[in-house]
Amino acid sequence: MDTAGKVIKCRAAVAWTVHQPLIIEEVEVQPPKAHEVRIKIISSGICRTDDHALHGDMENMNFPVILGHEGAGVVESVGEQVTDLKPGDKVIPLCIPQCGKCSSCLSPNTNCCLKTHMHEAQNVMPDKTSRFSCKGKVVYHFLWTSTFSEFTVVPTDAVAKIDDRAPLDKACLFGCGFPTGYGAAVNTAKVEPGSTCAVFGLGTIGLSTIIGCKLCGASRIIAIDINRDKFEKAKEFGATECINPKEYSKPIEEVIIEMTGEGVHYSFECIGRTDTMKAALECTHMGYGTSVIIGGAPPNAHITFDPYLLFTGRTWKGSIFGGWKSKDCVPRLVSEYLSNKYNLDGLVSHTLPLDNINEGFRLLQSGKSIRTILML
Ligand code: APR
Ligand code: ZN
Ligand code: ZN
């Protein structure tokens, strides 16, 4: 059946209001307008950021909303003036767009396009309207991706076309988790061979950071988590030591400095807490240590810290989407995956049908899952 140009009715997980379980509903999805495509989503990972959004811990949230920002699928139809994508293309919606025109996109030194949700709200399409409705009500977009729906509409600036051979049940990992952690090590920190690293938090982001540190040739990778169950996986991916802050009476930064003598070369905060961001900075070498913030802190969070920590030479950086210029780099990462540069199987702990999405969120909240992938 040719659906191009028509409204599609399909199933989606709707978050009607903050803190409430998602409800699988029949929604209407409008055809894409100019510079937009409609995508049939095949798989979608549940990320911590979706959970934050559901609990109101994100700016620019409107309800009802269709969450989800780590998906993979196939282009169903394209709007006017779309030249780089066609129906049938395998694609990944991008939670950080690459418009190619803004000052950030034109700079080689950042991937943080000014069309990101931190700069302009992405709860509606660029023309300020939504393509989703349900029971006569407007349903809002999330990060322009809304991948917890069988069909979604995305501006082409936020869509990467990937290799036809990519397995769409796993490719969703390239929409957020893997590029974010891996890129923080290889692009943002530029970890050097033989260096020492500390990775705080061992979810999908932390484990992907470990993959990056290992591929860069780090000699020691110290993994930190308050949940011991995460240690086995961390070691599989390349952690050389695993430590639990709860098992020490002194602060974890002191433990790491003792373990390494003078602190690590690189540290990564993959949790999203201000106290661990500070600890991650403090555990680096006072002269040449670099600490990278990857975890998203709650809105309005602030940190106070001793400026001498930086005065002596430490560098404090942030990394969004691993520093990758998304539209250009995601296809490259997928191709490297297809040539077996990295094995990501260990990142997927559960696979569930869309119907069980609330179970997926519970697994995330309880710390029992790494990535749960929903099959739509
Ligand atoms: N100290 C050490 N580890 C902690 C602490 C703490 N105080 N608090 C939580 N953790 C661990 C959890 O046990 C968990 O293993 O941090 C890990 C975080 O993993 P996930 O919740 O699975 O999160 P992930 O998807 O990896 O994302 C991490 O990056 O994208 C952002 O918003 C996202 O802030 C989140 C962060
Ligand atoms: Zn841009
Ligand atoms: Zn994410």
Side-chain angles (χ1 to χ4, degrees):
M1 195 183 69
D2 187 16
T3 46
K6 297 178 186 150
V7 173
I8 288 181
K9 290 189 179 199
C10 69
R11 293 161 72 252
V14 177
W16 284 102
T17 181
V18 69
H19 299 310
Q20 292 303 309
L22 307 180
I23 299 183
I24 305 295
E25 305 275 13
E26 185 182 82
V27 300
E28 293 89 39
V29 186
Q30 298 289 323
K33 293 193 181 176
H35 304 290
E36 298 173 5
V37 296
R38 191 162 54 185
I39 300 169
K40 177 166 179 31
I41 296 291
I42 303 293
S43 68
S44 183
I46 305 177
C47 172
R48 180 62 67 181
T49 302
D50 300 306
D51 192 52
H52 286 324
L54 182 59
H55 292 95
D57 288 336
M58 256 177 97
E59 321 224 3
N60 292 320
M61 284 301 299
N62 287 68
F63 288 85
V65 61
I66 298 174
L67 298 171
H69 65 283
E70 196 184 75
V74 178
V75 173
E76 172 268 338
S77 63
V78 304
E80 284 171 21
Q81 295 171 52
V82 174
T83 52
D84 63 334
L85 295 163
K86 58 180 188 312
D89 283 349
K90 287 189 178 178
V91 290
I92 299 202
L94 303 164
C95 53
I96 296 294
Q98 184 187 349
C99 77
K101 298 188 185 89
C102 72
S103 53
S104 288
C105 283
L106 293 173
S107 162
N109 301 322
T110 178
N111 66 324
C112 196
C113 174
L114 297 185
K115 289 194 176 177
T116 171
H117 65 283
M118 263 88 56
H119 199 71
E120 274 176 32
Q122 293 180 338
N123 46 22
V124 286
M125 288 289 102
D127 74 347
K128 311 287 180 216
T129 62
S130 168
R131 303 288 165 271
F132 295 117
S133 59
C134 179
K135 297 178 173 161
K137 292 202 174 74
V138 168
V139 176
Y140 287 94
H141 294 254
F142 176 61
L143 305 183
W144 281 354
T145 51
S146 294
T147 55
F148 296 156
S149 175
E150 289 175 326
F151 287 87
T152 187
V153 176
V154 183
T156 53
D157 288 343
V159 182
K161 176 175 155 35
I162 57 167
D163 194 307
D164 279 336
R165 294 169 302 151
L168 289 180
D169 56 340
K170 298 257 173 61
C172 57
L173 291 168
F174 290 87
C176 173
F178 176 68
T180 298
Y182 176 65
V186 307
N187 296 329
T188 312
K190 296 191 171 62
V191 169
E192 292 186 328
S195 59
T196 53
C197 299
V199 178
F200 288 71
L202 304 173
T204 310
I205 307 284
L207 294 174
S208 301
T209 303
I210 291 176
I211 295 174
C213 294
K214 186 172 176 192
L215 268 172
C216 288
S219 60
R220 280 178 86 178
I221 303 172
I222 302 169
I224 302 111
D225 203 296
I226 49 172
N227 180 353
R228 286 208 134 258
D229 297 346
K230 307 273 176 162
F231 291 172
E232 199 185 313
K233 260 243 163 111
K235 288 200 166 140
E236 270 171 40
F237 279 115
T240 54
E241 294 127 286
C242 293
I243 53 175
N244 181 348
K246 286 186 176 168
E247 292 169 12
Y248 296 89
S249 52
K250 62 177 89 161
I252 201 66
E253 58 275 19
E254 285 177 28
V255 175
I256 295 168
I257 289 170
E258 272 173 26
M259 285 169 77
T260 53
E262 297 170 337
V264 292
H265 292 80
Y266 305 99
S267 71
F268 301 88
E269 203 279 351
C270 315
I271 305 165
R273 296 174 55 96
T274 52
D275 59 340
T276 42
M277 289 173 186
K278 233 172 104 171
L281 176 67
E282 288 173 5
C283 78
T284 63
H285 187 282
M286 74 177 279
Y288 53 66
T290 295
S291 187
V292 182
I293 293 175
I294 317 175
N300 305 317
H302 288 91
I303 300 183
T304 49
F305 69 102
D306 178 352
Y308 276 93
L309 286 165
L310 300 185
F311 192 62
T312 53
R314 288 181 185 86
T315 303
W316 212 354
K317 294 180 143 185
S319 182
I320 189 162
F321 199 65
W324 303 104
K325 286 196 184 273
S326 57
K327 205 168 157 110
D328 290 346
C329 296
V330 163
R332 228 168 61 211
L333 291 169
V334 171
S335 299
E336 288 176 355
Y337 169 69
L338 290 171
S339 58
N340 295 317
K341 182 164 175 185
Y342 6 83
N343 181 352
L344 307 184
D345 292 347
L347 295 179
V348 183
S349 59
H350 301 76
T351 304
L352 296 173
L354 178 64
D355 281 318
N356 296 20
I357 187 166
N358 289 310
E359 185 188 335
F361 273 84
R362 276 195 297 276
L363 285 164
L364 176 75
Q365 288 151 4
S366 67
K368 292 200 174 76
S369 60
I370 305 294
R371 254 320 171 259
T372 295
I373 291 185
L374 301 167
M375 298 304 299
L376 284 96

